Amino acid sequence: MERDLQNKTVVITGGVSGIGLSIVENFLEKNVKAIIILDIDETSGKQVKEKMNAKFGKNKVVFYKCDVTKDLNVIYEKIVNDFETVDVLVNNAGVADEKAYKKTIDVNITAVVEWSLKFWDHMRKDRSGRGGTILNVASIYGFRVDPYVPVYQASKFAVMGFTKSLGHEYNYSKFGVRVVAICPGFTETSLPTNANLRVDEMLKDLQVFLETDIWQKPEAVGKAAVEVFEVADSGTAWLIEHSQPISQVL
């Protein structure tokens, strides 16, 4: 039943818009027990909670305001007190700001490591946990390169390495926690347009570059995330690009 979302309790960071919100809705379509949305945007969070509960049923979705770089311990205790057991963690929160490079690293990789390890310990079967899945939202920039966003790419390469190592077959067989990455291609969210390049002279070239690719809607990524959840082995990474079927990349 590990790869069945039905009756699972899910925590997702950055879940009020874009890819995160699409994952929330697609997971709800699979009749999860509950989804705990964490996001720094309190206004949108409350609106999403009300909308999803009206559509999928009372108390299916809860929202906690959360800064993933600061609030791990207090939010973790609240979640465990309210729900006891978490089956799935989706590390989706992310930023792309080449000038605020420390923030980009803190959100995109440091927080992913901290939240993953906290919930990995909670899930591990050798400590009375019942196993579970950690799904890390990486990027095509976790295994491809271009010259425009080196800090963002460094953070996503790190997510891929962390996922491959923590999700290694040795760890999975010993501790029973599956760790998987998804790698969306260019997706119509606010993130790609807010890169805030360190070298302003590159902006026009970046804009031309972005116009050459085929962009997908967040809904394509949310749907594909469900498919990955249902088929992926621990330690693998999956491409979601151009709204095409998922494919394993690493």
Side-chain angles (χ1 to χ4, degrees):
M1 300 299 290
E2 175 188 68
R3 303 184 184 195
D4 185 350
L5 280 162
Q6 186 171 355
N7 294 323
K8 296 292 195 298
T9 298
V10 180
V11 173
I12 179 166
T13 67
V16 305
S17 63
I19 288 173
L21 178 56
S22 183
I23 293 174
V24 167
E25 190 154 11
N26 278 273
F27 276 24
L28 286 166
E29 294 279 1
K30 290 294 183 175
N31 199 27
V32 295
K33 181 178 180 181
I35 292 187
I36 302 103
I37 297 176
L38 309 178
D39 203 288
I40 201 166
D41 184 347
E42 186 172 17
T43 300
S44 295
K46 291 179 178 179
Q47 292 171 348
V48 167
K49 180 186 74 171
E50 292 175 3
K51 180 180 178 181
M52 293 297 111
N53 284 332
K55 182 174 181 179
F56 292 99
K58 186 178 180 180
N59 298 325
K60 278 283 190 177
V61 172
V62 299
F63 170 76
Y64 301 145
K65 183 180 180 181
C66 175
D67 181 336
V68 293
T69 67
K70 300 176 181 178
D71 298 333
L72 171 57
N73 290 329
V74 66
I75 293 295
Y76 174 82
E77 292 300 325
K78 183 172 181 59
I79 290 171
V80 171
N81 286 337
D82 291 348
F83 293 89
E84 295 186 5
T85 300
V86 171
D87 303 294
V88 183
L89 168 68
V90 182
N91 283 307
N92 169 72
V95 297
D97 189 331
E98 293 294 299
K99 291 180 179 176
Y101 52 85
K102 188 176 186 303
K103 177 182 178 181
T104 298
I105 295 297
D106 285 347
V107 174
N108 291 4
I109 182 58
T110 303
V112 169
V113 169
E114 291 176 341
W115 284 79
S116 293
L117 294 180
K118 190 78 168 181
F119 281 90
W120 189 80
D121 285 339
H122 167 79
M123 296 173 180
R124 51 190 286 188
K125 291 182 177 179
D126 63 315
R127 291 187 178 176
S128 301
R130 61 187 191 189
T133 298
I134 297 171
L135 180 63
N136 293 325
V137 179
S139 169
I140 54 170
Y141 280 170
F143 62 95
R144 296 179 190 165
V145 296
D146 66 35
Y148 304 109
V149 286
V151 177
Y152 181 76
Q153 292 195 175
S155 72
K156 293 304 182 178
F157 265 76
V159 169
M160 293 285 274
F162 176 71
T163 300
K164 295 288 288 182
S165 181
L166 187 62
H168 192 281
E169 182 181 353
Y170 170 86
N171 284 334
Y172 176 70
S173 63
K174 194 173 182 69
F175 306 109
V177 182
R178 187 171 56 140
V179 189
V180 177
I182 62 172
C183 302
F186 292 126
T187 306
E188 294 177 9
T189 70
S190 61
L191 189 144
T193 58
N194 293 329
N196 200 18
L197 303 187
R198 291 189 67 251
V199 181
D200 294 335
E201 291 82 357
M202 299 172 71
L203 181 58
K204 186 177 293 185
D205 291 337
L206 173 60
Q207 291 171 338
V208 171
F209 170 72
L210 293 177
E211 290 172 0
T212 65
D213 210 305
I214 300 171
W215 288 66
Q216 61 194 357
K217 300 287 185 181
E219 291 75 13
V221 183
K223 180 180 178 181
V226 171
E227 297 177 35
V228 170
F229 186 92
E230 294 174 340
V231 305
D233 292 330
S234 190
T236 59
W238 295 77
L239 176 65
I240 304 164
E241 188 173 33
H242 304 159
S243 301
Q244 296 298 307
I246 60 173
S247 60
Q248 186 175 340
V249 289
L250 291 173

